[in-house]
Amino acid sequence: MRLIRKLYCRLFQGAFRLALPILPYRDPKLLTSVEDIPAALSEKGKLNPLIVTDAQINALGLTRPLEAALKRRGIDYVLFDGARPNPTTAMVERAVELYRTKGCDSLIAFGGGSPMDCAKATGALVARPKKSLGKMAGILKVRRRLPYLVAVPTTAGTGSETTLAAVIVDAKTRHKYVINDFFLIPPCAVLDPRLIHSLPRDLMAATGIDALTHAVEAYIGRSTNKHTRRDAEEATALIFANLKAAAVHESQEAEAAMLRAAHLAGRAFTRSYVGYIHAVSHSLSGQYDLPHGRTNATLLPIVLEMYGDKIHKKLARLAVAAGLGQAGEEDQVLARRFLDQVRALNDALDIPRTIPQIREEDIPTMARYADKEGNPLYPVPVLWDAGELEAIYRKAVK
Ligand SMILES: [Fe+2]
């Protein structure tokens, strides 16, 4: 990256870092059971929520206890199960239409990252009916309060229940972009471990490594503070200790620990940002419709390796926090062990080491998208422009 652009990126990130203590972040009110949602809605005078979920969750009947609880309380609801992986502008528009025609007054996002993103974007479009979602891409472009939103994660990964981001794919161009605004932080979230109990192993694995990627990218970035570092360290430790057991549903403690880890990692990255792993991953999953967690998981060790010794000190601290080494060992040794352990965890979870779908002719466009998403916003340890980012795709395809 050219020096002048580097300076601009670092100044931009510095301004956000300085503003961090005064920015209006908030933590959602946390509930531990879906049965508590009707009371939370009543408290706010909400009587007709739109539940945004996907067809698989609906078919599994995961929303039934919530629906029964709403009925018991005399709360009407409308169910939209059209959120699919990598939700598109067209899906969001369908949800908005349902919200309006059925006279809904609030939203319940129920599912993994896709229903969460879809529900947040639905709320944004309800709040800003004259503005397209594409025009809300970037930072602080929503600028209006969304309808009351309760977030119910059914995966332990995205941390979306506490983040200010929604990721949407343009239905026509397949361009995947991120909408970031404080109004997208759900005011209420439910961490109910029963909801992740039936998740298939590969989904638990990919979403769990997504959470690890959030924690690591936030931690190695240059905009951390002691709270986000602590959250990222705790999340990393919980993931190394629990993900393998949670993936095969060995115990409810492991499942609950993963829900907490994903939440902490979400809290860390919504304040301290992610980095190029996410920027590249978004361009890949937008282009080839690949699951976000899977692409992140494959990219995580590749990009960490490419950052080189610039991140050794931070990886070393993270390794100690995660119990992978002792304070006092050499940074380089600890950083290497951290990387080896990430690879070992990926291998144990059967996550592929490559992304064979990548086509050489698509790389320049995807790298441009990643550049646009990452620069100047993400306070990454090493700055790369589109040309330099292309190397990540070429390493990942091998
Ligand atoms: Fe992610």
Side-chain angles (χ1 to χ4, degrees):
M1 185 183 287
R2 302 229 310 259
L3 185 64
I4 189 89
R5 189 156 179 240
K6 273 189 185 164
L7 280 173
Y8 165 68
C9 288
R10 291 308 189 202
L11 276 172
F12 184 98
Q13 294 155 13
F16 272 86
R17 186 167 62 239
L18 285 177
L20 185 57
I22 53 162
L23 291 174
Y25 287 102
R26 53 192 156 93
D27 290 325
K29 170 178 159 180
L30 287 182
L31 307 174
T32 52
S33 163
V34 290
E35 271 91 16
D36 297 334
I37 294 175
L41 289 172
S42 299
E43 215 174 84
K44 298 286 172 189
K46 305 300 177 195
L47 295 165
N48 191 13
L50 176 71
I51 303 173
V52 177
T53 190
D54 62 39
Q56 205 186 353
I57 287 172
N58 195 13
L60 286 170
L62 280 183
T63 58
R64 300 301 174 264
L66 167 64
E67 292 176 61
L70 289 168
K71 278 182 194 148
R72 279 199 299 277
R73 188 99 179 189
I75 294 178
D76 271 335
Y77 62 88
V78 180
L79 190 99
F80 172 75
D81 71 352
R84 291 189 16 84
N86 299 317
T88 64
T89 44
M91 286 169 211
V92 176
E93 280 154 17
R94 279 204 298 280
V96 170
E97 197 185 319
L98 201 58
Y99 186 97
R100 289 214 188 96
T101 53
K102 300 286 184 183
C104 294
D105 58 8
S106 49
L107 289 157
I108 300 175
F110 199 108
S114 304
M116 293 278 170
D117 288 334
C118 187
K120 286 178 173 181
T122 300
L125 211 49
V126 167
R128 301 296 306 253
K130 293 201 179 111
K131 203 167 179 178
S132 72
L133 287 169
K135 287 263 158 44
M136 290 188 248
I139 44 168
L140 307 183
K141 304 265 179 67
V142 181
R143 294 197 293 259
R144 204 166 291 168
R145 190 179 293 278
L146 269 55
Y148 188 68
L149 169 64
V150 181
V152 190
T154 61
T155 62
T158 68
S160 187
E161 73 279 4
T162 186
T163 73
L164 50 69
V167 188
I168 295 297
V169 178
D170 187 293
K172 290 198 187 91
T173 64
R174 298 303 301 168
H175 175 208
K176 194 168 193 177
Y177 53 82
V178 189
I179 303 171
N180 297 286
D181 198 296
F182 296 103
F183 289 113
L184 262 50
I185 302 174
C188 181
V190 185
L191 300 184
D192 187 336
R194 290 172 300 173
L195 295 175
I196 63 168
H197 188 64
S198 49
L199 267 191
R201 177 175 177 263
D202 59 340
L203 204 55
M204 275 299 289
T207 52
I209 301 283
D210 182 29
L212 180 63
T213 311
H214 297 152
V216 174
E217 288 211 288
Y219 198 79
I220 61 172
R222 293 161 51 127
S223 287
T224 60
N225 61 24
K226 66 172 192 286
H227 304 293
T228 61
R229 286 194 292 273
R230 199 181 50 216
D231 281 349
E233 284 173 357
E234 190 182 339
T236 304
L238 284 170
I239 293 164
F240 273 109
N242 293 285
L243 178 51
K244 275 190 264 179
V248 290
H249 303 290
E250 214 171 274
S251 72
Q252 206 183 29
E253 288 77 45
E255 291 164 338
M258 280 308 300
L259 264 182
R260 178 166 167 75
H263 186 71
L264 291 170
R267 217 160 68 173
F269 91 80
T270 206
R271 288 161 175 80
S272 294
Y273 308 90
V274 282
Y276 290 139
I277 297 168
H278 268 77
V280 170
S281 174
H282 287 149
S283 71
L284 282 168
S285 51
Q287 180 73 29
Y288 306 119
D289 217 9
L290 301 168
H292 171 72
R294 265 288 275 286
T295 46
N296 267 345
T298 303
L299 291 170
L300 177 62
I302 295 171
V303 178
L304 291 183
E305 192 96 59
M306 287 170 71
Y307 282 139
D309 56 11
K310 278 263 190 267
I311 58 168
H312 280 177
K313 203 173 176 162
K314 286 177 175 168
L315 284 191
R317 263 190 248 135
L318 214 40
V320 173
L324 306 175
Q326 307 289 326
E329 288 185 80
E330 263 184 57
D331 283 352
Q332 208 184 340
V333 173
L334 287 166
R336 168 57 39 208
R337 195 172 310 140
F338 187 85
L339 265 169
D340 290 344
Q341 288 300 316
V342 169
R343 281 220 171 82
L345 185 58
N346 268 352
D347 289 348
L349 296 166
D350 297 320
I351 284 164
R353 288 187 173 209
T354 59
I355 305 171
Q357 288 88 345
I358 297 175
R359 284 188 308 236
E360 177 61 35
E361 62 266 32
D362 299 331
I363 291 177
T365 308
M366 291 190 291
R368 265 204 313 280
Y369 285 150
D371 181 358
K372 201 168 163 208
E373 178 184 326
N375 302 319
L377 183 62
Y378 296 159
V380 285
V382 184
L383 288 166
W384 291 321
D385 60 20
E388 291 161 313
L389 287 165
E390 288 183 13
I392 300 176
Y393 299 86
R394 297 199 177 98
K395 280 217 161 76
V397 78
K398 274 190 215 140

